[in-house]
Amino acid sequence: MSARIELNHKVHVLTKKEELDGIRVPGKVVIVLDIIFATTTMVAALAHGATEILRVLDEASARARAKALPPDSYVLSGELYAETLPGFVHPAPLALVGHGVKGKSIVYSTTNGTVAMTLAAGAARVYCGALLNAKRLVEHISAQHARETVLIVCSGSGNNFNFEDFYGAGYFVDCFAERLGTAADFSDAAKAARAVYRQARAPEALLDCRIGRMMASRGLAHEVEFACRFDAFPVLPALEHGTLRLVG
């Protein structure tokens, strides 16, 4: 009698986007996280009717991309080192959604989140994750990518570790554990992220981290609190030929 082969779903966490340089991403499934705020904003915009997110690397690329689009069909949004780009809509989720996104393309540039997504583009599949859509995304990946290794990529900030992304990764790991049970094979980094998530509490922990404190000092505590709305928007944003769109 032949031995039964168990399929374990491997889940690993990268603590900052720069760790992608040492990882072979082809064949893997990547979830990119930038909880404050890039991936949270992209999830929220698509959930509120934006047709696509055209993520670009800098201001010049954003303006060039916008020139190729019909007038009034897009919104320019982005920041560099936490400062809103001149003439662009603020890149936090409530600010962008409040500006109006339904039926629009969002040309979006940020210091970390859109860069992380670009670095991961060679993977078998790249998804945009946030606390807003974690459980739905985990359900989808568990069902559709049972044989692929999952990399949860924390964008971080300028080659630095960010608490809020690691916390978010921990919630994703917790969702995978609930969904997969003993079929889950977590790396040590994934287990550590889950332990952080279970110990900390949102939104207090995110408001107390470095980026959260900076945003609160600018009157944006409400944006951080919005980012902590667990599973409020069960959407599936994925890269399709370089553009972020809803799938499924």
Side-chain angles (χ1 to χ4, degrees):
M1 182 183 294
S2 60
R4 186 178 63 167
I5 299 175
E6 295 286 350
L7 272 179
N8 287 330
H9 204 145
K10 295 183 178 180
V11 179
H12 181 43
V13 170
L14 303 185
T15 63
K16 54 186 179 180
K17 62 186 175 300
E18 287 77 12
E19 292 179 23
L20 281 166
D21 291 341
I23 299 289
R24 293 179 59 86
V25 296
K28 295 181 174 66
V29 172
V30 172
I31 304 169
V32 176
L33 302 181
D34 186 342
I35 301 298
I36 310 176
F37 285 112
T39 57
T40 296
T41 299
M42 291 188 276
V43 168
L46 289 168
H48 283 82
T51 58
E52 60 187 1
I53 309 290
L54 306 174
R55 84 275 184 284
V56 294
L57 291 177
D58 53 34
E59 178 184 354
S61 299
R63 294 189 185 281
R65 191 72 181 267
K67 284 183 179 179
L69 299 173
D72 300 322
S73 71
Y74 64 88
V75 176
L76 279 172
S77 178
E79 53 79 23
L80 181 64
Y81 306 126
E83 297 294 335
T84 305
L85 294 169
F88 284 49
V89 177
H90 194 288
L94 289 174
L96 179 55
V97 169
H99 178 81
V101 299
K102 189 171 184 179
K104 303 279 189 179
S105 299
I106 311 300
V107 184
Y108 197 61
S109 174
T110 68
T111 310
N112 298 295
T114 54
V115 174
M117 204 160 283
T118 298
L119 292 173
R125 197 64 154 148
V126 179
Y127 292 99
C128 179
L131 298 174
L132 302 176
N133 71 333
K135 190 166 290 187
R136 178 69 185 97
L137 194 48
V138 166
E139 291 172 353
H140 175 79
I141 291 172
S142 299
Q144 300 299 319
H145 304 284
R147 296 177 180 270
E148 289 93 349
T149 295
V150 177
L151 298 178
I152 305 173
V153 179
C154 301
S155 293
S157 180
N159 204 15
N160 291 315
F161 171 92
N162 275 8
F163 175 87
E164 68 274 9
D165 292 344
F166 199 61
Y167 175 91
Y171 180 54
F172 271 84
V173 174
D174 200 60
C175 291
F176 273 114
E178 181 180 334
R179 181 77 177 177
L180 300 173
T182 58
D185 181 5
F186 297 129
S187 69
D188 284 353
K191 292 176 181 178
R194 188 186 187 197
V196 167
Y197 160 72
R198 288 185 153 194
Q199 182 65 30
R201 289 292 176 266
E204 294 82 6
L206 272 66
L207 286 166
D208 191 47
C209 69
R210 180 177 64 89
I211 300 295
R213 291 196 307 271
M214 180 184 71
M215 293 301 169
S217 72
R218 299 181 180 190
L220 296 172
H222 63 292
E223 294 280 14
V224 179
E225 292 165 353
F226 176 84
C228 298
R229 293 181 60 189
F230 291 82
D231 306 307
F233 303 111
V235 295
L236 300 172
L239 281 184
E240 298 272 5
H241 307 293
T243 299
L244 194 69
R245 297 187 176 93
L246 294 183
V247 298

